[in-house]
Every structure is written in structure tokens, then in C-alpha cells.
Amino acid sequence: MFRASDFLGKLSKQSRRGSLLSKLRHGHRSKYGRALQANEASVYSNHVNGEYTNCVRDELGQKNAILNCGQPRLQYSRFATAAAEAYNIEPSTDGDSSHVSEEYANVNWDGLGFGLTPTDYMYIMNCSKGQKFSQGTLTRFGKTEMNPSSGILNYGQVPPPGKGTMYIRPLLMGNGPDLGVAPASEYTFVTYASPVGNYHKGALNLVVEEKFRRATPGGTGGVKAITNYAIIYKPISEAKAKGFTDVLFLDAVTGKYVEEASTSNIFVVKENVISTPPTNGTILPGITRKSIIEIARVLGYQVEERAILVEELFDAEEVFCTGTAVVVNPVNSITYQDKRTEYKRGVGTVGQKLYEILTGIQSGCIEDEMGWTVELD
């Protein structure tokens, strides 16, 4: 026979490191434990009916919404209050923000690398096949529920000026329970933010990869999909072991033309001409790439989107990479068939000029004459 108290004991034992139920059961036995015990039969009968996960999902929400997961709602009120108090949740009672000082989160901004620094919240929307996305919810940053056969498995804080970037990462996951090869029957859209530092520390030293190809015509190279990154891990590991920063991939058909680096687009500068490979289905059409092209043309540079022979790298005056994470990153050198070519970088270079204009517009330090900035109320 199912006993709610037995199930509670097992759950608390498994979740003792920070679980809300564990806190109420063990850390606040005298006060909040009674509130939980008074309601546990109803709570866990909901678990049997498949509804308990909704209760847990809302456990870190505001007081009045913590256990709004079914009938009878009144029986949850004391438990909800106890849960909120256990987590010191105090919703704001007024909209006055005049008392807020310009303080930043307790983060080592100077030592910030390009790794996850979780912020407090994330935004989630769900969608089933043939339906529209549900109204999204803002929830505490944390783990999300996922079916073991989900298709994806076969894959807030603003830094002080000059200390990094708030990186916003959107994810669209096909997570329906579909074992066969077919489009997912359910989808989840997640967006979260993390303050990050520069993806690369300093100028790049690239090596041309002659064995592996990042993408092929007719494939998914032109979209932001996890499949595009699986192939890069081995060559990058080998390149870094030899002292290089990143890998420069060639086209899959001839192996003669430059395509892009592992996480960024590439630009080659010679005199007043800036050249970059075309987005013909194997290269990701990055928004930073697009922005740099538009700024360069406004400044009077001749921008060519064309196939670039790898030998052209020997005669280039300057090379730089662009991407959401790298922004505009100068290339110090490129090595191809044991021949190393070095390039101009630093003050006065084309890449530096484009970087300063782009980041100036992004930060509001330069007037946006491109019409990209959207003011939010």
C-alpha cells in the first residue's frame, strides 16, 4: 500500500542537499514540519496522479504561487507560506526603485572567463506538435525536466562597463518522447543569461585543418545546431595541444577555400578591401558578421562576400574573426602546411576600428546611426 510518509522519507533522503522538502522536513521540523505533515497526504496523492511535479516546479515562486498545483488549494496555504519563509522569499510590495544603488553582483569580474555564471532566473516556453508555444514563465535558474528519449539528448547579472558581457543564450529543444528518427512531437524554448568575459584571451593563432571538415553542402552548417559542433572537438584538442588557439576549416568539396573557425566567421583585409566567405549553406550567417559588414561599408571599405583560396592568407595584411562570443577578435597568425603567416593587429587596424564602433553602439557610448538600438520601457 502506498504511504505518503514513506514516500516523503525517500524523497527527503535523495534530496537532502538543498531540497525544499528536505529543508521543511529536517531543517525546520518544529514549525514547518507540522505544516508539511498536515498536508503531505494531499500533496503526495497528487504525486500519484501525476500532478506533484507541478508542485515542485513552483516551489521557488512567490508565496501565493508556490503550491498552486491543484485541489484543494486551501490545504496548501500553510505549506506554501512555510515554503516561502524557508527560502526567505519576500516579494516586493512597491514599485519604487529610487533606493537602489548602483551595485554589482559579487562576481570576480576581472577574472571572468567564458564559462557559465548562473543568474537567478530563466524564461521557459513549451510547445507540442501542431500547437503554438504556451505563455512563457519566468522561473528560478535550474534543472529542467526532460524525457530520456528527448531529441536534444542525442546533444540577469550585468557586468560593470568594460568587465564583460551579458551573454543571452536561447535554446530550442526537441524533447518529445520519440525514439524513432522523426521531427520531435514536443518542443521547449529556454532562454537564460550569464555574464561572461572574452571567449579568447588575446589575439588568435590559427592552424588550417586539412583532415576534418566542419560542414558539407546540403547539411546544417548554415544553422545554429549542435550537430555543427560535434566534429570540431577532436581537431581543436589536437591544435591546442600544439599551442594553437583555434582551427580554421576549409570547404568540404575541394579543400581549397577558407570557410570559418570553430566558433566564428573570418575576415581577410588587403588594402581597402575586406573579404569574407559567403553564407552559402555551410557557414553560419552570424549577426556580428552582418553588423561588421554593414559598418565597414558605411566607413567606405569595399566588402566582398566571396570564396577565398587558402593561399590568399599568405598575402593578407590583416585577418580577424567575428562572432557573438568573440565579438571582433584579431588574428595574430595562421599556420598552413607548416608555413606561419603573421598579421597586423592593435591600434590603427581595420579590425580594431570596427570593434570600437560596434561595441560603442552596443554600450550606448556611440550614437546608433545604423538604427539597430531598440529602447525598452
Side-chain angles (χ1 to χ4, degrees), residues 63-268:
K63 273 187 182 179
N64 297 330
I66 289 180
L67 287 176
N68 184 13
C69 56
Q71 53 83 34
R73 195 171 293 179
L74 288 177
Q75 292 186 10
Y76 296 130
S77 59
R78 286 181 293 163
F79 180 55
T81 302
E85 293 176 359
Y87 270 79
N88 297 319
I89 298 172
E90 293 295 340
S92 175
T93 57
D94 61 75
D96 181 16
S97 60
S98 60
H99 63 285
V100 178
S101 61
E102 187 174 326
E103 296 182 357
Y104 296 102
N106 185 21
V107 173
N108 180 11
W109 301 109
D110 292 313
L112 195 64
F114 196 85
L116 176 64
T117 302
T119 46
D120 294 337
Y121 295 93
M122 62 183 182
Y123 180 77
I124 298 180
M125 292 193 298
N126 293 301
C127 177
S128 296
K129 187 175 182 180
Q131 299 180 1
K132 296 181 179 180
F133 274 95
S134 63
Q135 181 175 348
T137 58
L138 191 65
T139 185
R140 287 279 187 177
F141 183 92
K143 296 180 180 179
T144 58
E145 295 178 335
M146 185 175 292
N147 191 291
S149 61
S150 298
I152 190 62
L153 294 182
N154 299 294
Y155 180 105
Q157 299 156 337
V158 181
K163 297 293 186 179
T165 303
M166 185 178 73
Y167 193 84
I168 301 175
R169 171 59 61 85
L171 300 174
L172 180 61
M173 303 178 289
N175 59 342
D178 308 300
L179 185 60
V181 180
S185 58
E186 297 178 4
Y187 299 86
T188 296
F189 176 78
V190 179
T191 299
Y192 63 91
S194 173
V196 298
N198 294 330
Y199 192 84
H200 295 293
K201 302 296 185 183
L204 306 177
N205 291 296
L206 306 180
V207 60
V208 176
E209 174 56 47
E210 298 184 68
K211 179 180 178 182
F212 294 94
R213 300 291 184 259
R214 194 194 73 87
T216 59
T220 60
V223 296
K224 190 78 170 179
I226 188 60
T227 53
N228 297 332
Y229 297 91
I231 191 64
I232 71 176
Y233 299 133
K234 181 177 176 60
I236 282 183
S237 297
E238 294 176 350
K240 289 186 175 181
K242 297 176 181 178
F244 297 104
T245 311
D246 202 350
V247 171
L248 184 59
F249 290 95
L250 303 177
D251 75 289
V253 177
T254 68
K256 297 179 179 179
Y257 298 97
V258 173
E259 290 226 315
E260 62 180 3
S262 63
T263 58
S264 55
N265 300 113
I266 189 165
F267 288 77
V268 177

Side-chain angles (χ1 to χ4, degrees), residues 328 347-348 350-361 363 366:
V328 179
V347 179
V350 174
Q352 181 66 23
K353 185 186 302 183
L354 295 171
Y355 169 81
E356 291 174 355
I357 294 175
L358 177 61
T359 56
I361 293 174
S363 61
I366 296 178

